[in-house]
Amino acid sequence: MPDTSPPPSLAAPVLTETLPAGCHHSLLLRRGYTLRLVDLSGDANVGLLAVNHDEKSERYNMADTLKAQHVSRLGSPLVLYSDMGRVLLSIPYDNFGHHDAFCGTTTAEMITEQYGEADFQTVRNDYYRNGRDGLLMELGRWGLSRRDLVPNINFFSRILTDEAGNMSFDPESQQAHATVDLRAEMHCLVVLSTAPHPLAPYAQYPQGAVALSVHWTGPAGPDDPCRHSRPENVRGYENTEAWFAQTPQGPQA
């Protein structure tokens, strides 16, 4: 169920950005910092990928994240697993409650088919961007490529399924000022796209923007709800902490 409590107060941000609809962005989110995302107008979609900044072959894994926590959607107090069984990011606060982890992102062909042509030569920076190209451009800034493009999460997008397994987008679930906090449990490269969701039913290209801010909150403590929300998460955090416990000098006397 969505959390109806107000977003918790966080320390003063070390970074703030406003990301217009259809844009892309990436940042290094160090362990213990929290990225807050806010849907400013109630029609945003934020596609997100996460990579271990210190070993970029380790990435967010959709299948392990859902399987380990026995869920089909993401929200608080769940976590995002890597393909090495470690916790990349956790979700300590979320008042949306059902973020899509299945549907991937849009291509240029999908955007043209649904919204028509609006290229850079005609409308300059208002051209219709797609999620796939945006994620690839940001991955490229960090030396990554097409082979690193894995299934992404779509924050602020709820997907419904019927008895036959058909999926549809739920526009009624979207709300202005919906907020989700993503706490880095490892040093993470976070890649974002605000292109429309692949199943969004809108006739016009959405114009909603997303506010980003980064705050120091510290990593998960021993009693953190994300650590104990599933028995498997206790092991996931142990695996993560073992990564940081090893130093070149070995254990201190």
Side-chain angles (χ1 to χ4, degrees):
M1 294 292 293
D3 185 348
T4 57
S5 62
S9 297
L10 302 178
V14 298
L15 171 70
T16 59
E17 297 273 358
T18 299
L19 197 59
C23 288
H24 45 82
H25 188 60
S26 59
L27 68 155
L28 168 60
L29 191 66
R30 293 194 181 277
R31 175 174 163 84
Y33 281 86
T34 291
L35 171 64
R36 171 165 286 180
L37 304 174
V38 180
D39 177 356
L40 294 176
S41 57
D43 59 352
N45 175 71
V46 181
L48 181 145
L49 296 173
V51 176
N52 176 1
H53 180 266
D54 299 328
E55 177 49 76
K56 293 188 177 60
S57 63
E58 182 178 7
R59 311 161 191 146
Y60 164 70
N61 186 286
M62 176 267 280
D64 287 352
T65 296
L66 301 183
K67 180 176 61 179
Q69 299 176 99
H70 311 284
V71 295
S72 59
R73 85 300 177 267
L74 291 173
S76 177
L78 301 176
V79 306
L80 279 60
Y81 275 95
S82 78
D83 49 10
M84 299 297 287
R86 291 185 275 263
V87 179
L88 288 168
L89 297 165
S90 58
I91 310 177
Y93 176 80
D94 162 42
N95 64 8
F96 189 78
H98 27 233
H99 306 276
D100 165 48
F102 283 123
C103 294
T105 191
T106 50
T107 64
E109 292 77 13
M110 294 166 68
I111 293 295
T112 299
E113 180 178 356
Q114 182 163 354
Y115 302 106
E117 292 279 0
D119 57 24
F120 179 77
Q121 288 72 22
T122 305
V123 295
R124 298 303 180 189
N125 286 334
D126 291 330
Y127 75 95
Y128 295 167
R129 298 171 176 87
N130 68 85
R132 177 181 170 82
D133 288 349
L135 293 173
L136 285 174
M137 289 178 66
E138 294 300 328
L139 288 171
R141 296 179 193 274
W142 301 85
L144 301 173
S145 66
R146 184 178 302 176
R147 70 178 182 178
D148 302 296
L149 184 62
V150 297
N152 60 277
I153 302 164
N154 289 298
F155 286 101
F156 307 125
S157 292
R158 183 188 186 192
I159 298 303
L160 304 175
T161 57
D162 62 21
E163 293 296 327
N166 299 308
M167 296 189 292
S168 61
F169 187 91
D170 179 15
E172 299 300 322
S173 67
Q174 294 198 292
Q175 53 187 305
H177 307 299
T179 300
V180 59
D181 288 346
L182 297 166
R183 181 179 58 206
E185 309 296 358
M186 306 184 74
H187 303 320
C188 286
L189 166 60
V190 177
V191 178
L192 306 167
S193 165
T194 52
H197 188 277
L199 300 183
Y202 304 121
Q204 303 294 325
Y205 194 91
Q207 296 298 313
V210 175
L212 319 177
S213 57
V214 174
H215 313 255
W216 169 253
T217 56
D223 298 325
D224 190 88
C226 297
R227 183 190 298 270
H228 295 286
S229 61
R230 298 289 188 276
E232 293 80 359
N233 289 0
V234 175
R235 178 62 181 272
Y237 274 98
E238 290 174 351
N239 292 340
T240 305
E241 286 153 0
W243 170 276
F244 290 98
Q246 299 178 55
T247 68
Q249 293 77 29
Q252 298 299 310

